[in-house]
Amino acid sequence: MSRFFTIYLHDEVREYSDRDLPLTVGSGADAHISLTDGSPLEAHIADSRGHLFLQPADGATSVYHNDTRLSSSVWIKSGDSSRIAGNILHFYISGDRVEIRLSAAEETALAPPLAPPPGSLRNQSDGAEGNRKKLPRSSGESKRASGGKKRRYLAGGIFLLLLAAAVFVLTARSVEVRVKPAPEEFSISGFPPVFKFGQRFLAIKGEYTVQASRQGYQDLTETISVKGNGLNQFSLILEKLPGLVDMVSSPVDGAQVFIDDFLVGVTPLAGFEVSAGEHGLRLVKERYLALDQQIQVEGLGRKQHFEFVLQPAWGEVTLASDPAGAVVFAGETELGRTPLTIDLPGGEHILILRKEGFSAVEVELEVEAGGHHTPNRVVLSPAPATVIVESDPAGAAVSVDGAFKGTTPVTLFLSPEEQHRISLSLSGHEERKSLLTLEPGVSRELSFTLQPEYGIVFVSTEPPDAELLIDGKPHGQATGRLRLTARKHTLTVKARGYEIATRTITPSKANSRQVNIRLKPAGKAAGLQSTASKNKMATAGHKMIRLGPAVFTMGASRREPGRRANEQERQVEITRPFYLAAREVTNDEFRRFKPEHRSGHVGGQTLDNGHQPVVMLSWEDAARYCNWLSKQEGFSPFYREEKTTMVAVSPATNGYRLPFESEWAYGARVAGRKNPSRYPWEGTFPPKTLSGNYADESARSILPAVIRSYNDKFMVTAPVASFSANQGGFFDMGGNVSEWCHDLYAPQSSVGVGVRDVDPTGPATGTHHVIRGSSWRDSSITELRFSYRAYSRSPGNDIGFRVARYDR
């Protein structure tokens, strides 16, 4: 409500609004309503819950309202008047308009003093008879006439009164007004007035004002309309006054207070008005857990005190390293140097410790809010030495201490302060070797010029004048002696009228070779040479899909939801074509190699059916299976046994192996697509259609977290290829089981920022191997992304594998 006040003084009109309340009344110069006399401050005009009232000032004794002297406040109604000193205020109220007119009080005429008629009885008897006038005497007839007139007036008045009463009774309606709770004061006003009849009232048709009040409740003023015949019933409710609420928080003040989702202030709050009833309360304070609670406000103007204890949202973590002085990072944020005690928010954290000359160490923490955590002392290992090996020509196979590490140019990471033997070999060139010992963290570049090896080849053709092409380049007459580099060459022989013949040879430095080629005359039947398809089928039933060479982006942007610190975004180049299995290895396939293997069960659900993916096997057993499969197919094994583990042979063969992490990422995210995929499905998280075997509603009884409203109907592992293949033709790259990769695990790539990583095969040393892809146990946005990287050195009931190999 917004009221407007117009004050009419003797020679001035003033206007105010309810923002100027209370208005002061007096003879003072700063009074809102200026009087011509009286004290500087005589009274106040103010508002309470929409009703105006007049209150005398302290010490004021000459304030009258409706001719009643005031000692306390009184409500103001339209038509009221107040007399203050020698002034009269007249009040006129209409809607939001209030007029107050000031006039001077009229002097009351003094009545003449009471006195008897002139002279006394004695004087009248003693005075001259001639000076007295006789009063006329009233006759009996005159008295009787006067009395009859009065009786007629009285009878007429009674008749009119009875007539009015009869009309009222005939036109009145019965009115019942119920007010809850029962008021302490109650009235119905209007014209004509109502009459109480028992618990009801009699009133004629029209509008009346009901007023009710009760301590602790807001005053009620309601207009009711009496209409129609029969009983008019009205039910009215007295609203409770708000409660006066005090709120404090500990152990700290300054918590934001939300009541029914509206911010009302910060603690401590004192005397804050809150409507009666139940309210939702939320307290929010930085570094503390949000507190949500329902409070019951009594109302009725009563005071209530609430105390709330906030729980810390962080835990205290103490880190130590050997040696000390390691810089601790959370993502890209530096937290300090060890030994270090810091507060971290509750939940999972990945911290990285770095120190010059030492390898970075990743520490995974589960911080409990309010707790204190002291992980084991982190022992830093000397940083590997970095060696960039180049060769002319490029593409030479590089091995370190007998283990294949890639092809030139390649970056090697070597354990420091140890002697290493570096070997380079390239078909048709002499092998180069070098011994190297480096300090921790040192970088070195090695460049080798490979000298070609030559072998002698004697070629004899029929017809003898046939033309020879070596590796597609014309050479001249075919028959003769050739000096060729000791690597694989393709000889093409052709002559007019004959069919073209092709031979592949590899000259030897130690021995010469004789090649005899007889061309078939054109037009005669010749055997058709079949070409291998792009996709091949292994003897054990593995469909292999050929990929590469390729350049693509691995990792995830820092802005990608769910990204972890070990998902460094970088450009990767794969130079050597390779094959990757379309699906995961099954229990049946693995048991051909190891008949006694069992994948087990979870929550009463078997993992051991023949078409389910094999699980509960170590990385070494997966590598041994690859070697077994290579022998079945007639390929040279890619791995060799070394003590209790498996290492790659050097130079690398095209035998079966576990996929490099970069190869797995290319098959999952890039192959067959125009743009890299973030999830195993199209669109955003969570999946909207069935796209794979993840932690779903069917597994809610055995898993702590599932994807809400997603049901793939497999509690544990599903038979391989139960869902559609991706655009590259691969099944279960997301979901079912996570997969072992060849690479040892490192938190970050060894290449610098902005440098292309060529044919990455992982770090030279480590204790864990990379695991890629989500499984039937995963439900979060972090784990279900293709760029998510995990690692392990132990078998798991959700870790399997698929095979890969080089093309040649």
Side-chain angles (χ1 to χ4, degrees):
M1 176 182 291
S2 297
R3 280 204 175 97
F4 299 92
F5 297 83
T6 304
I7 314 299
Y8 294 91
L9 304 178
H10 296 293
D11 55 356
E12 182 182 357
V13 177
R14 298 180 182 176
E15 292 189 348
Y16 301 105
S17 69
D18 51 6
R19 291 191 296 270
D20 299 305
L21 293 178
L23 302 180
T24 56
V25 182
S27 61
D30 56 351
H32 294 94
I33 302 176
S34 301
L35 304 180
T36 57
D37 55 4
S39 301
L41 179 61
E42 290 282 2
H44 299 275
I45 297 174
D47 175 275
S48 175
R49 296 187 290 276
H51 298 285
L52 293 177
F53 65 90
L54 177 70
Q55 178 176 314
D58 292 342
T61 60
S62 59
V63 179
Y64 294 81
H65 186 74
N66 293 339
D67 296 329
T68 299
R69 182 176 176 183
L70 297 184
S71 59
S72 61
S73 301
V74 66
W75 299 110
I76 299 174
K77 299 184 294 297
S78 182
D80 287 354
S81 62
S82 298
R83 177 168 178 167
I84 304 175
N87 305 267
I88 295 179
L89 302 181
H90 301 274
F91 297 93
Y92 303 94
I93 303 174
S94 177
D96 294 336
R97 298 290 305 179
V98 179
E99 289 188 4
I100 303 175
R101 295 181 179 272
L102 178 67
S103 64
E106 297 179 0
E107 294 295 335
T108 303
L110 297 177
L114 298 176
S120 64
L121 293 176
R122 181 177 300 164
N123 291 334
Q124 291 179 12
S125 60
D126 293 338
E129 185 69 13
N131 293 329
R132 290 186 357 185
K133 294 184 179 178
K134 292 183 179 181
L135 295 175
R137 295 181 62 184
S138 177
S139 65
E141 291 79 8
S142 175
K143 290 182 180 178
R144 284 193 297 272
S146 177
K149 188 175 183 180
K150 291 181 179 179
R151 283 194 296 273
R152 286 194 299 272
Y153 286 149
L154 178 60
I158 293 173
F159 174 77
L160 292 176
L161 182 61
L162 291 174
L163 180 62
V167 173
F168 179 82
V169 170
L170 292 174
T171 59
R173 305 292 187 266
S174 180
V175 177
E176 182 180 48
V177 180
R178 297 177 182 177
V179 181
K180 294 183 180 180
E184 296 170 347
E185 295 183 6
F186 179 85
S187 67
I188 300 179
S189 60
F191 184 83
V194 300
F195 292 91
K196 189 171 184 181
F197 187 74
Q199 297 298 320
R200 299 178 179 175
F201 298 87
L202 291 177
I204 67 171
K205 186 177 179 180
E207 291 190 346
Y208 294 84
T209 300
V210 177
Q211 291 184 314
S213 63
R214 181 186 176 95
Q215 186 174 2
Y217 293 82
Q218 297 183 19
D219 289 345
L220 172 69
T221 299
E222 187 78 20
T223 299
I224 61 174
S225 294
V226 177
K227 59 183 68 174
N229 295 321
L231 178 63
N232 286 256
Q233 290 182 313
F234 302 93
S235 295
L236 305 176
I237 303 294
L238 289 176
E239 300 291 340
K240 288 183 178 181
L241 288 173
L244 302 178
V245 175
D246 296 342
M247 293 185 184
V248 296
S249 62
S250 62
V252 293
D253 293 331
Q256 290 183 315
V257 180
F258 293 83
I259 297 180
D260 298 331
D261 297 327
F262 290 97
L263 178 64
V264 299
V266 297
T267 58
L269 281 178
F272 183 76
E273 287 191 355
V274 181
S275 60
E278 187 176 65
H279 296 273
L281 174 77
R282 182 178 179 85
L283 268 63
V284 178
K285 176 68 176 176
E286 186 179 4
R287 301 183 73 246
Y288 288 84
L289 297 175
L291 185 150
D292 291 286
Q293 187 173 320
Q294 296 294 116
I295 61 171
Q296 189 70 36
V297 177
E298 187 177 1
L300 302 175
R302 297 173 184 172
K303 287 190 174 183
Q304 284 180 268
H305 184 77
F306 294 95
E307 294 186 4
F308 303 99
V309 178
L310 300 176
Q311 300 299 325
W314 75 92
E316 189 177 74
V317 178
T318 299
L319 295 171
S321 67
D322 185 13
V327 182
V328 182
F329 290 88
E332 303 297 325
T333 303
E334 181 177 334
L335 303 180
R337 294 179 179 270
T338 58
L340 176 66
T341 298
I342 54 175
D343 292 337
L344 292 177
E348 292 184 358
H349 296 272
I350 297 178
L351 303 181
I352 299 176
L353 279 68
R354 293 193 179 102
K355 184 175 177 66
E356 187 175 356
F358 293 85
S359 295
V361 176
E362 186 177 278
V363 178
E364 292 189 2
L365 295 176
E366 179 71 33
V367 177
E368 180 181 355
H372 182 84
H373 307 268
T374 306
N376 294 332
R377 182 182 297 270
V378 179
V379 178
L380 302 177
S381 302
T386 304
V387 179
I388 300 174
V389 181
E390 298 178 342
S391 68
D392 183 17
V398 179
S399 61
V400 177
D401 300 328
F404 172 73
K405 297 299 180 182
T407 58
T408 57
V410 65
T411 302
L412 306 177
F413 299 93
L414 306 180
S415 54
E417 299 178 342
E418 294 181 11
Q419 188 179 68
H420 298 279
R421 175 171 295 178
I422 301 176
S423 302
L424 279 75
S425 60
L426 181 64
S427 178
H429 295 78
E430 295 180 357
E431 184 179 12
R432 293 290 304 272
K433 296 181 179 180
S434 178
L435 295 177
L436 198 63
T437 302
L438 298 174
E439 297 296 321
V442 170
S443 295
R444 177 77 61 83
E445 292 185 3
L446 295 179
S447 182
F448 297 89
T449 300
L450 302 180
Q451 299 299 324
E453 289 184 335
Y454 293 95
I456 302 301
V457 178
F458 294 95
V459 179
S460 175
T461 64
E462 289 187 10
D465 60 347
E467 181 184 356
L468 175 65
L469 288 83
I470 302 176
D471 298 329
K473 296 180 180 179
H475 175 73
Q477 184 174 336
T479 300
R481 176 180 181 274
L482 302 176
R483 183 174 182 263
L484 302 175
T485 55
R487 62 176 181 84
K488 186 181 294 186
H489 294 277
T490 299
L491 304 182
T492 303
V493 179
K494 59 182 180 179
R496 184 183 298 274
Y498 292 86
E499 294 182 356
I500 297 174
T502 302
R503 297 289 187 274
T504 299
I505 63 169
T506 302
S508 171
K509 178 181 179 181
N511 302 294
S512 62
R513 290 192 58 180
Q514 176 69 43
V515 178
N516 298 315
I517 302 175
R518 175 176 292 179
L519 301 182
K520 295 180 180 181
K524 292 189 176 182
L528 298 177
Q529 182 179 359
S530 63
T531 58
S533 64
K534 179 179 180 181
N535 298 335
K536 297 185 177 181
M537 183 69 73
T539 301
H542 298 289
K543 179 183 178 181
M544 307 296 290
I545 298 176
R546 188 178 186 274
L547 301 173
V551 176
F552 69 104
T553 300
M554 276 184 66
S557 166
R558 294 180 182 178
R559 296 185 296 273
E560 183 173 304
R563 179 189 185 271
R564 299 180 67 193
N566 64 353
E567 299 171 23
Q568 175 188 358
E569 191 175 42
R570 66 193 189 279
Q571 194 175 63
V572 171
E573 181 178 0
I574 298 175
T575 63
R576 192 169 178 178
F578 65 97
Y579 286 96
L580 183 63
R583 57 173 178 79
E584 297 152 339
V585 178
T586 67
N587 284 309
D588 280 349
E589 291 164 345
F590 190 78
R591 280 196 280 263
R592 294 176 192 168
F593 158 66
K594 194 173 183 179
E596 70 274 17
H597 179 80
R598 294 294 178 267
S599 290
H601 61 273
V602 176
Q605 302 293 315
T606 184
L607 304 172
D608 209 41
N609 287 333
H611 294 297
Q612 288 177 285
V614 63
V615 295
M616 296 305 297
L617 78 162
S618 66
W619 180 92
E620 288 76 11
D621 272 349
R624 292 185 181 102
Y625 174 86
C626 292
N627 275 3
W628 173 84
L629 186 59
S630 295
K631 293 177 182 178
Q632 301 299 309
E633 293 286 325
F635 295 107
S636 297
F638 186 85
Y639 299 99
R640 61 181 173 84
E641 294 272 356
E642 185 173 289
K643 296 182 180 179
T644 59
T645 188
M646 306 287 287
V647 297
V649 300
S650 178
T653 72
N654 64 342
Y656 287 96
R657 56 176 170 80
L658 295 170
F660 297 123
E661 184 181 9
S662 58
E663 294 172 340
W664 188 98
Y666 183 80
R669 300 188 65 185
V670 181
R673 294 181 170 91
K674 292 183 178 180
N675 297 305
S677 179
R678 179 176 295 182
Y679 304 103
W681 60 86
E682 296 296 328
T684 59
F685 179 86
K688 304 299 187 299
T689 58
L690 289 180
S691 58
N693 179 20
Y694 316 119
D696 68 326
E697 292 287 354
S698 69
R700 184 177 289 277
S701 61
I702 61 174
L703 294 178
V706 299
I707 305 173
R708 292 183 60 186
S709 302
Y710 182 85
N711 193 340
D712 55 45
K713 297 181 173 55
F714 293 102
M715 290 181 65
V716 291
T717 57
V720 299
S722 292
F723 298 85
S724 300
N726 68 8
Q727 286 90 330
F730 299 99
F731 297 90
D732 301 321
M733 296 300 272
N736 219 17
V737 292
S738 301
E739 299 175 17
W740 288 114
C741 289
H742 171 86
D743 311 50
L744 288 165
Y745 174 76
Q748 303 290 335
S749 170
S750 59
V751 301
V753 177
V755 178
R756 179 180 292 181
D757 202 354
V758 179
D759 294 323
T761 59
T765 59
T767 57
H768 296 71
H769 282 87
V770 172
I771 294 173
R772 293 301 297 265
S774 54
S775 78
W776 63 271
R777 303 184 69 97
D778 297 326
S779 62
S780 74
I781 190 173
T782 294
E783 300 156 339
L784 293 178
R785 295 172 306 112
F786 273 139
S787 58
Y788 174 72
R789 301 179 71 223
Y791 55 89
S792 181
R793 58 182 176 186
S794 304
N797 58 20
D798 65 336
I799 304 176
F801 73 105
R802 71 180 68 218
V803 297
R805 69 177 181 86
Y806 283 126
D807 183 15
R808 56 182 181 272

